[in-house]
Amino acid sequence: TPNGKAVRDRVRIGFRFADKRPERIVRVASVANPEFEIPPGAADFMVTADQKMKEDRVIMSFFPHMHLRGKAWRYGLTTKGGEERVLLDIPAYDFNWQLNYVLAEPLRLRRGDTLTAMARFDNSADNPANPDPSAVVTFGEQTEDEMMIGYYEWYDPRGR
């Protein structure tokens, strides 16, 4: 991330090669909303995003991503038949503890099901991590900006 100063960096990479072909290809996708504006002082501002499945998918894990004003996160599912359920609820999101939440059992989503992400932000002076409660906050790359990206790892149940 640019910080206005030239820095040295030593990048290294390691590879581990498998003895056989993988059983499936795991992909990463996201349900996200980059179009929001958090008002100054807002203590509980909600941003949502939906993704309707165009094909069956098997979800293995969730990885919600917000920055310093992130307060809470929830993934929900609405089936094609209209049944709703909560898949993951994080009532006290902490930017310093971003985790990949691996499901105990993979979850199959069917074509027509809708995955929903709901993020809550605290842009108030009561948020000790907030760099500027007087700012209007939008989506951006820097930590003082915000993001609303609900990553998830999935694979195609047909083996593709």
Side-chain angles (χ1 to χ4, degrees), residues 124-138:
S124 75
D126 292 332
N127 176 357
N130 191 348
D132 184 2
S134 68
V136 173
V137 183
T138 58

Side-chain angles (χ1 to χ4, degrees), residues 66-141:
M66 299 185 285
H67 289 172
L68 298 172
R69 294 170 181 89
K71 177 179 180 176
W73 187 280
R74 178 179 288 176
Y75 287 95
L77 171 66
T78 304
T79 67
K80 188 176 177 179
E83 177 189 338
E84 294 183 7
R85 66 189 249 223
V86 174
L87 301 176
L88 176 65
D89 188 17
I90 305 166
Y93 181 89
D94 186 334
F95 177 72
N96 297 303
W97 287 92
Q98 295 184 63
L99 300 172
N100 185 33
Y101 295 86
V102 178
L103 300 175
E105 294 291 326
L107 174 69
R108 185 167 185 152
L109 272 60
R110 308 269 183 200
R111 180 178 182 207
D113 290 349
T114 301
L115 182 63
T116 302
M118 296 159 276
R120 299 183 99 76
F121 297 91
D122 182 354
N123 193 24
S124 75
D126 292 332
N127 176 357
N130 191 348
D132 184 2
S134 68
V136 173
V137 183
T138 58
F139 189 94
E141 298 290 329

Side-chain angles (χ1 to χ4, degrees), residues 10-77:
R10 284 195 244 162
V11 177
R12 294 195 286 167
I13 188 168
F15 293 96
R16 186 181 333 172
F17 295 96
D19 295 330
K20 60 181 182 171
R21 292 180 62 92
E23 292 177 32
R24 61 183 61 98
I25 298 170
V26 176
R27 296 174 170 92
V28 177
S30 67
V31 54
N33 183 347
E35 303 294 326
F36 60 85
E37 192 171 280
I38 306 170
D44 192 25
F45 186 82
M46 186 162 71
V47 177
T48 63
D50 295 317
Q51 184 179 85
K52 190 171 188 174
M53 297 298 120
K54 294 179 179 161
E55 72 273 328
D56 289 4
R57 290 184 172 184
V58 178
I59 294 181
M60 300 170 58
S61 69
F62 294 107
F63 190 106
H65 181 73
M66 299 185 285
H67 289 172
L68 298 172
R69 294 170 181 89
K71 177 179 180 176
W73 187 280
R74 178 179 288 176
Y75 287 95
L77 171 66

